[in-house]
Structures are given as structure tokens and as C-alpha cells.
Amino acid sequence: MTENAQQQPTAPITELPTQYTPAEVEGTLYERWVEKGYFTADAKSDKPPYTIVIPPPNVTGSLHLGHAFQHTLMDALTRRKRMQGYEALWLPGMDHAGIATQNKVEQQLAEEGKSRHDLGREEFVERVWQWKEEYGGRILGQMRRLGDGVDWSRERFTMDEGLSKAVLTIFKRLYEDELIYRAERIINWCPRCLTAISDIEVEYQEDAGELVSIRYGEGEDSLVVATTRAETMLGDTAVAVHPDDERYQHLIGKQIKLPLTDRTIPVVADTHVDPAFGTGAVKVTPAHDPNDFEIGRRHDLPSLTIMDEHGVITVHGPFLGLDRFEARSTVVGALKEQGRIVAEKRPYMHSVGHCSRCKTTVEPRLSMQWWVKVGPLAKAAGDAVRDGRVKIHPEDMSKRYFDWVDNMHDWCISRQLWWGHRIPIWYGPDGEVVCVGPDEEPPGTEAEGWTQDSDVLDTWFSSGLWPFSTLGWPEQTEDLRKFYPTDVLLTGHDIIFFWVARMMMFGLYAMDGQVPFHTIALTGLVRDEFGKKMSKSNPNAVDPLVWMDAYGSDAVRFTLANGANPGADVPIGEDWVKASRNFTNKIWNATRFALMNGATVEGPLPDASEMSATDRWILSRLNTTVAQVDAFYDDYQFAKLADALYHFAWDEVFDWYVELSKTTFFAGGEQARVSGRVLGEVLDVTLRLLHPVIPFVTDALWTTLTGGESLVIGEWPADSGFRDKGAELEIELVQRVVTEVRRFRKDQGLKDGQKVPARLELDGTALAPHEAAIRQLLRLQPEGEGFAATATLPVAGATVALDLSGTIDVAAERKRLAKDLAAAEKEKAQANAKLGNEAFLAKAPDNVVDKIRGRLAKADEDIARIKAQLDRLPQA
């Protein structure tokens, strides 16, 4: 082909700008989608429903990478189902976040020199609502930036009127079914938030404390206990030993003196005590330890509360008024003065519970609280997964779910806060207890001696109703009939306990055994590129909005989807987002080139007999990709579907098909028309496949390519069944030739654009029709006068002969390669010598031996590669 024939022809002007600028596309495009109502679901539609309810972010929150990650996946699922013809509802909303929100407003008040008690309950709650209206819900605007295709017309809030009615309804039903009760138990108390918190809101970490061993009693009637919380000895009401421990048989049932106090306490025998651990004797403080509380109940021991709600000591003169940590060192000092400290260990690393919100050390505390009796509810939640009504994905995560629901303790649902759903229990002047449901009047007034319980419900109580309360329950609404049960709950594996189990229990209870969702798709957590947990306190925390500003929302979305292996943590780094930005640019530029060179969706697809092998190859690969992507979506394999789309679009469509077809487009004529229609088809389907993950750039390109209204309401592509294995094998041969010659050119140090005279012997192979394309891709000129083959490459049944005389110094190249070969052979000899030395192998660690084996393998590869390069070079 002549130089003139390879010149790009004059092209029609395309509507696409020369460069893709996300900021100029994304915001405007999203608002258009919303205005057109594309995301608004119709409960009256005859289409099959598909429903996802968003895990409601806290009203105090802002979009972080964890949100962006899960929202990207939920959006992809919903967009695809909408394109497949489903009535897709992705329902948004926010959680009132009791403790977190109350803390925000109390901080504001503190800056004004006030507390909530200065305002009173009613005025404080009003202040929180004002804060919510002014500052809450930032994340909703940020979700728009990400491209969340949620139905904004159905946005809900856990404290709105409808959801509040649902909370009151289910509370009364549970209460009347004796599944809610009030009892004094040990709870986790946060002295900073001044409320009870549930077991799953306690974060355990290794803290450096102290372990002190204290002698109780005198002489033979004494024993030693060890504790990390010496201050709690002031509330001891017994010492426990194992009933079979011979060391303490003479003490069981006796009273011994409790140091620092005027009290004596009994020695009790209890099988909970491990005689092999420590001294085999444990102090028993029923009011400040859950295990001790159970021992106390078994032995009818008194429970002495020794601290107030702030963690301040309330008993025993010398320690009265001391903070718990201050009291700890003071108590140890007093015990030392009496010679009671037998041993001390500092620092002593041990697991300590902290409030997940404010990080304050949690204090176990005996308290009167409201509880849910979870036994029958948890059993139903377990059975629904065991019998297959609900699938957990990945399946190996089921064990974590069963470990929780099969061993769940009763759930403390009362919180000592003012912001939240107030417990609908009223107490009468004569000890009456009345539960008041929605639309019911209280049994009496305060003047008549009636008061409402001052506590509010745990935030997870209301969010546990989310899949059905957001659809209008307890009313039998059209939405509830159409969209419940929901299809998929996609959430992090870290909140199986917080949220997933709660929704399963409440959904099955409230909806007459109907599950709240058919599939639980569990994701991992987003981490930095080195696998470390991201935290606001660490420099590795990333604001996704910063990356969206720099690289576009599509780039952030694609990066997150590309790392989303089921249940596994997701590493992410800025370089990966840049790579995804490059991918969106590649899609833009390649589509622009295609539009300028005749790509079209007009008219029917030509018959296969009219197509070139290259056309048939790309259509065969396209349909294979459609089938793969569908299978990956159905298995929630987001990383695999993103990877498949990336390599199909970039490698096969843009790097191979477009490049192989350039000679056809430049030549013009009927074959160019056919290939233009094929290219239009391939781009149309590829953009549809990519749209759920990267919606902005694909919609902008697709509407330009097809003239269609929007990909949001476009049709999801189906596998047509077209396959052409012969064409696939033929193009694989072309790819082998091009790849092998490119590798050789690189080995010889030739620049990408450097032209080289070449003779191609392709006759008798399937490669012959592709000579023009092969020459263009490899920058191979015709032989010309004076051609001398200085390097010959046999590949794929053909021969490529190159004249490198004018491009490289063969003698110098041979010398360089000979030097590299000698170095590789020396490396091989050294590795073989070490691996053949029995004495060395006997002493060397496994990792050292493995490293030497790796060096040997690398040396063998280098030797084979260099010898092949030398063989291809002419003799100097």
C-alpha cells in the first residue's frame, strides 16, 4: 500500500469535543436524568419489579469511599435491571443516627456554654431537627455527584412520620407478644455518650494496662485474685473458685475479709471458673461485669453499683468522687500500703472495649433497660437462610451469619438519649405499665401521675424495619405490594450483626414470614493501595469527591467496581483512579475516531457473508463478552465483569479491531460501509454493557452515536448467539504475528513509529488477506530496491523478513546481547551451585531457598530470550 493510500481521508465533523472533560458532562447529565424521571419507579407498572433499598447513611455523614464503593455496585445492579425491562426501584434515605446526631448538637450547645438540660427535652429535640434541616443530608447531594440512580421521589428518613408509625406499630406488637420486656441487666455503658450501647457497638482493641494480683483474707484463709480493674474490687460481693479445685476446698462457703472495706464476702464454688487460669480464684463484681452478674444470679449475691453514669466512684470515703481511672491507681496505692499487692505487671496488653462512636472506654454497668427477646426471631432468621429462601453471597460468609444468629443474646434496645424514637411506654401512679401504639392516646396526663419512659430506641431498631417501612408498612400500600420483598441487600460484611440480622428478624416477623430480601450480597471494606484500613485519623483517608473533581466520577466508579471481589476487601489508590480516567478517555477518543470514519447504527447488520474475517471476529467476541458479563452480574462478580469489559473494550475493540480496520476505512467503498456498520454495532453494545458501571461517559457517547434519548432507558444487549470460531482463529494468527514482531522490534530498540522494510511470506496461510493491516500495525514498508533480509522471524506458519541494516548496528547489538547472555549464565551457575549444596540447603530458611529457585528460573528465561534474539540477528 502506498503512503498516499494510508493517509486519513477527509472526515465529517462529529458533535463530540476533541477532549472529554467530565466536569462539563456529569452534573448537567445527572440533572437531566432526574428531571426526565428515569429513576422514578411506577408501582402500577406491569413490568416485573426489582428493588434495592439503600443502606441508609447517617444524617451526620458525608460520602466516603465505603459509600462510593457500595453505591457504585448497587447503582450498577439497578441500572442493568432497568435496561433489562424491570420496574427498578432503588430507594434512598437517611438514618437519624441517635447518638451521633445528638453529639453534634450537644457540641454546638457546649460552644454556647449550654447543655441539653438547659434547654429541656422538647426544645432540645426541636434544636436537633433544626440542625438536621440545616446541616444534615450533605451526603444526598454527594450521591448525585457519584451518579446514584435513586428514586428521589421516595426518599425516606427514619424519623419521618411514616417510619415513626412503623416503629410504634412493631414495638406494640412485640410487646404484646412478650418479645419486648424490661429488666435489670449488665449493659455496655458509655460514660461519654451517657447511654447504653449494644454489644455490636463496642469496638475491642489491645490497650496497655496493668495486671495486679491482690491477696484477699488472712493466713490460711486467704487467696489471691488478679485483675486489670482494681477499682471494681470496691463492688466485690464474692470470690469464686471451681468446685473441684482442691486448693480451695477448705474455703468454699467461708467468709473472707475484703481489703480496704469493712465488709466480708463469701467464697463460692462455680463451674464458670477455670482452675488452670491464673490462681484459679476470681473476684466477683456482679454490678460491673457480665460474667460476674451471671455468677451473682446463680449464688444469689448482692449487686453493688460503685460508679455513676460518668464513671465516677460513688462509694467508700477515700475514693468517693474519683474518676474510675484515677481511682484505679489510688486503690492500688492503698493496697500496697496494706501489703496486699502480691504481683504487678505493666504494661499488660489486653482487649478493652471502646464506644464505636466516641472511642471512650466502655463500662459494664448494671442497669434497668428494655430488651428484645431474640430467641424465636433469630431462629426464624437462621431458618430463612438454611432453607434457601435467602441466599448469602459469597456462600462462605454464611458461617459468620449463623455464628451470630444462632448465638444471639437478647438485644438491649433502650438508649438514654433524647433524639430518637421515644419508647411508647407509660407508667401510671399505681405502678401501671401501658404500651401506647400509633394513633392511640396516652392513658393519662402528667397531672394525673402518668409519665412516659424517658429513653429512646436504639437506632438499629428503626433501621431494622427499613425494607418494608420505607414502602409504607404498616399500611398495605401499592409500593409494598409491588416492591416487597426486595431483591438484593448489598452491604459490607462488617454490619451483618448490626443491620442484616435485625432486618431479617423484623421482616420475617412483621411480614408474615416473607423475607425482606432474596439475596444478601456482602462486600469487603475499602482499603488503601497497601491494604491498610482507611481512617480519618490516618493520612491515608481519601475524600472521594476530591478524586471525582480530578478524574471524574466514572473513573472513581470503575476503579471501585474493578476491585470488588465478593466479600473481599478492596484496595484503592490514586494511580488506579488515573488509569480508569485513561480508560474513559480511551473510550471517548476511540468513539470519536469511529464516528469520524463511518461508524453507524443505521440499517440492519450486514449478512455475515458480506463481512471480513475481522468483522466476524469482533462480533463473535462481542457476543461472548455479553454472555460473560451477564453471568458475572448474576453471580455478583463485579471485579470480573469490569475486567472483562475493560479488556474487551480497550484491547479487542480499540487496540485490535479499530486498528485492523483502518486500512478498510481509508480505502473506502462497500467493505468500509460494512465495517462501519459492524463498528457501530460493536460500539453500541459495548457502551450499553459499560453504562451501569460508568454511566456518564457512556450516555454522552451513546446518544451521539445512536441519536437515542438516553442509555438509562436503553435496552440491555442480549447474546445473539453469533459465534465464528474460524474468524477467531484467523485473527488470533494475525495477533500472534503482530505481537511477536512488536516484541522483536522492542528488543532491538526500535522506536514505535520507526518504519522498517520487510518482506511478508503469507501465501498459503489465513494471514494473506490481512497483509495491509499487518504492515500498517507494524510500520513495515514494502521491500524496495536493494532489500536485504538481516533478520527472519518464522511465526504462525508465515515468515517475516526484516531489513535492519539502516536501523541498527548489528555488530554492536550482538555484542550487547552476548554480554547479557554471559551475565544470565553466570547467575544460573551461581544459583545451581547453591541449590546443589546439601549443607546450604540443610541450614537455609525456606524463604531463602525459594528466592534462589526464583533466581534460577529467571536466569533460564533470560537465557532462552537472549538466545532467541541472537538467532534472529544476521551474522555481523
Side-chain angles (χ1 to χ4, degrees), residues 622-623 626-627 630 681 685 688-689 715-722:
L622 176 68
N623 280 289
V626 170
D630 275 332
E681 182 77 8
V685 173
R688 291 173 193 263
L689 291 174
E715 189 175 333
W716 183 254
D719 175 5
S720 71
F722 177 82

Side-chain angles (χ1 to χ4, degrees), residues 72-73 76-77 79-80 83 554 557-563 579-580 582-584 586-588 590-591 618 621-634 637-656 681-695 697-698 711 716-718:
T72 293
L73 305 188
L77 290 172
R79 285 177 182 270
R80 172 175 174 257
M83 294 174 74
D554 281 335
R557 290 172 62 114
F558 192 80
T559 307
L560 291 164
N562 205 28
S580 296
N582 294 344
F583 180 49
T584 61
K586 181 78 170 181
I587 298 169
W588 183 274
T591 304
I618 196 62
R621 293 296 306 132
L622 176 68
N623 280 289
T624 297
T625 302
V626 170
Q628 286 178 334
V629 169
D630 275 332
F632 289 143
Y633 262 115
D634 292 342
Q637 298 278 0
F638 296 98
K640 289 182 178 180
L641 72 88
D643 187 65
L645 286 170
Y646 176 90
H647 287 294
F648 175 72
W650 191 308
D651 298 345
E652 297 187 285
V653 179
F654 305 143
D655 277 0
W656 282 109
E681 182 77 8
V682 171
L683 286 175
D684 177 13
V685 173
T686 302
L687 292 170
R688 291 173 193 263
L689 291 174
L690 284 164
H691 175 74
V693 179
I694 47 174
V697 67
T698 51
L711 254 184
W716 183 254

Side-chain angles (χ1 to χ4, degrees), residues 146-167:
L146 186 65
D148 283 7
V150 296
D151 185 344
W152 292 110
S153 72
R154 286 178 167 85
E155 180 191 334
R156 302 305 299 266
F157 179 55
T158 50
M159 289 277 286
D160 70 28
E161 184 178 350
L163 270 65
S164 295
K165 182 176 182 179
V167 169

Side-chain angles (χ1 to χ4, degrees), residues 83-115:
M83 294 174 74
Q84 286 182 315
Y86 287 78
E87 194 62 46
L89 169 61
W90 186 21
L91 194 149
M94 291 185 300
D95 190 282
H96 66 278
I99 296 176
T101 309
Q102 178 156 322
N103 281 347
K104 288 278 187 184
V105 178
E106 289 198 85
Q107 287 166 11
Q108 272 191 350
L109 290 174
E111 291 171 4
E112 301 170 15
K114 298 177 183 177
S115 75

Side-chain angles (χ1 to χ4, degrees), residues 116-156:
R116 60 176 162 137
H117 300 285
D118 294 323
L119 273 64
R121 183 169 194 140
E122 187 174 333
E123 189 177 341
F124 176 79
V125 170
E126 178 59 33
R127 179 75 176 255
V128 180
W129 277 108
Q130 291 172 8
W131 182 94
K132 184 258 181 186
E133 294 303 316
E134 186 172 355
Y135 300 105
R138 284 184 303 163
I139 193 170
L140 298 179
Q142 294 164 346
M143 286 162 55
R144 302 169 90 94
R145 282 287 315 278
L146 186 65
D148 283 7
V150 296
D151 185 344
W152 292 110
S153 72
R154 286 178 167 85
E155 180 191 334
R156 302 305 299 266

